[in-house]
Amino acid sequence: MTLTLLQAWTQGRDRLKAAGVDSPVIDARLLVEAAADARRIDLVTDPYRVLSDEQRSRLDEYLDRRSRREPVSRILGRKGFWKILLQVNEHVLAPRPDTEVIVDLVLNAMPEGRRFDLLDLGVGSGAILLAILAERPAARGLGVDISEEALAVARENAARLGLEGKAALLRGDWTHGLGDDLFDVVVSNPPYIASAEIETLDPEVRHHEPRLALDGGPDGLDAYRRLAPEVLRVLKPGGLFALEIGHTQADRVLRLMREAGADEVALHKDLADRDRVVAGRKKALGNGEATR
Ligand SMILES: C[S@@+](CC[C@H](N)C(=O)[O-])C[C@H]1O[C@@H](n2cnc3c(N)ncnc32)[C@H](O)[C@@H]1O
């Protein structure tokens, strides 16, 4: 029996729905498009195109994996973020729309043509660093991650986007080993899930995202306690920082940053109106203070 694009989509949707996937319509469409080498518009303009045997078995494998709750981005090996497309694998967090709040905030603060040095702590796939550098040709960036495997993904993404000359990537434990270099902007989306909570998350996250990208220690705040003083240490006076947070962590992270001495500390919401980013500045130098 033949299988058309439209049948593949509706049957795929039903299969994913039965497996408990919470976005079966979109996911089935994405998997059909990828398996059948079809564009989105083909599902509307050419719905009766018949899939080849090879395309059918590829789709079958994709649906099988998705039914076992592997995320679409992992099955396809790529994920869109801001205006760029990133390669992803089991060693990096699949970048999320929530994190785009940081990109938006930095781009607003740093107009086009501005030269600045950007540091991304816990760079993962390179999402934040590369999305910003792609839009600010005069900027340079450094991405740090403790995972060598994640850095390999970030390096590949930088090269694919033609940004390898502007983005340095370094293995490190947050800012340790960075020496005396100071940055105009420091961003981070650190692990912030409380360890015990990880087992309660959706299988897509629990089984497929790297633990290093999720586990924020007993109360989820371990990374912020380290980052609060370290971020301020590596910022230039007056420099900007932006940290992603879990939506229940605002008060505690705001306090940590204020207690570390940050200025203009404020909370920013995501598109779902949830607390998502704590941003602020390192105090600017007063009259007579020396720069490092
Ligand atoms: C939540 S993921 C964020 C990845 C990427 N920045 C994004 O927003 O999609 C956190 C990243 O921090 C890295 N990481 C965890 N502990 C670290 C540490 N002590 N020093 C540097 N990076 C660390 C993880 O390997 C992971 O890539």
Side-chain angles (χ1 to χ4, degrees):
M1 243 184 41
T2 58
L3 184 72
T4 67
L5 280 177
L6 187 59
Q7 287 168 331
W9 185 12
T10 52
Q11 288 174 21
R13 175 201 63 197
D14 294 346
R15 192 163 151 191
L16 297 185
K17 203 167 171 182
V21 171
D22 68 2
S23 47
V25 178
I26 295 175
D27 290 6
R29 174 172 59 67
L30 291 169
L31 296 177
V32 169
E33 282 167 16
D37 305 308
R39 297 163 305 162
R40 187 161 309 173
I41 190 81
D42 295 338
L43 282 161
V44 180
T45 57
D46 195 12
Y48 304 113
R49 183 203 298 178
V50 173
L51 275 70
S52 68
D53 289 345
E54 195 191 329
Q55 290 171 338
R56 277 180 78 145
S57 68
R58 200 184 310 155
L59 177 62
D60 209 41
E61 183 214 320
Y62 289 172
L63 290 169
D64 211 38
R65 289 169 66 181
R66 186 68 191 104
S67 298
R68 283 186 268 113
R69 308 298 292 272
E70 193 170 338
V72 172
S73 57
R74 186 64 56 70
I75 296 168
L76 302 183
R78 57 178 187 261
K79 177 93 193 264
F81 177 77
W82 193 252
K83 297 179 188 170
I84 59 177
L85 189 64
L86 294 155
Q87 305 296 303
V88 294
N89 65 19
E90 70 273 25
H91 301 296
V92 295
L93 183 93
R96 289 146 196 270
D98 300 340
T99 307
E100 294 178 349
V101 176
I102 294 187
V103 177
D104 194 35
L105 208 140
V106 173
L107 293 178
N108 279 324
M110 296 297 186
E112 232 172 319
R114 176 86 65 91
R115 297 169 75 90
F116 63 93
D117 287 315
L118 166 70
L119 172 64
D120 183 351
L121 294 169
V123 68
S125 64
I128 309 173
L129 177 78
L130 299 175
I132 294 172
L133 292 181
E135 295 210 30
R136 291 293 179 265
R140 290 177 313 178
L142 170 63
V144 173
D145 208 288
I146 202 158
S147 156
E148 194 57 67
E149 291 87 356
L151 288 168
V153 176
R155 271 189 204 107
E156 189 190 336
N157 282 321
R160 282 169 171 268
L161 293 162
L163 293 169
E164 67 271 43
K166 303 203 326 144
L169 292 155
L170 200 71
R171 177 149 192 261
D173 181 4
W174 301 131
T175 65
H176 283 202
L178 289 189
D180 289 336
D181 289 341
L182 296 182
F183 298 84
D184 301 282
V185 180
V186 178
V187 294
S188 185
N189 172 19
Y192 56 67
I193 314 286
S195 313
E197 220 180 281
I198 293 176
E199 287 314 307
T200 68
L201 300 177
D202 287 341
E204 282 84 349
V205 178
R206 181 162 35 109
H207 294 146
H208 295 284
E209 297 290 17
R211 188 99 189 177
L212 255 180
L214 302 177
D215 195 344
D219 65 355
L221 297 172
D222 276 3
Y224 302 101
R225 280 187 279 268
R226 289 266 319 266
L227 286 170
E230 291 190 32
V231 162
L232 295 177
R233 183 179 69 78
V234 298
L235 267 178
K236 292 180 186 168
L240 172 75
F241 67 84
L243 308 177
E244 180 166 330
I245 58 164
H247 67 96
T248 60
Q249 296 170 327
D251 289 347
R252 288 168 295 167
V253 179
L254 285 165
R255 184 161 3 106
L256 277 171
M257 292 313 296
R258 287 188 179 122
E259 284 172 1
D263 219 8
E264 298 175 36
V265 183
L267 182 61
H268 299 260
K269 305 244 184 204
D270 60 22
L271 287 176
D273 208 32
R274 301 211 290 188
D275 296 344
R276 187 55 65 201
V277 172
V278 168
R281 292 190 177 271
K282 178 169 175 167
K283 286 197 173 81
L285 288 179
N287 282 343
E289 286 182 64
T291 45
R292 275 176 66 186

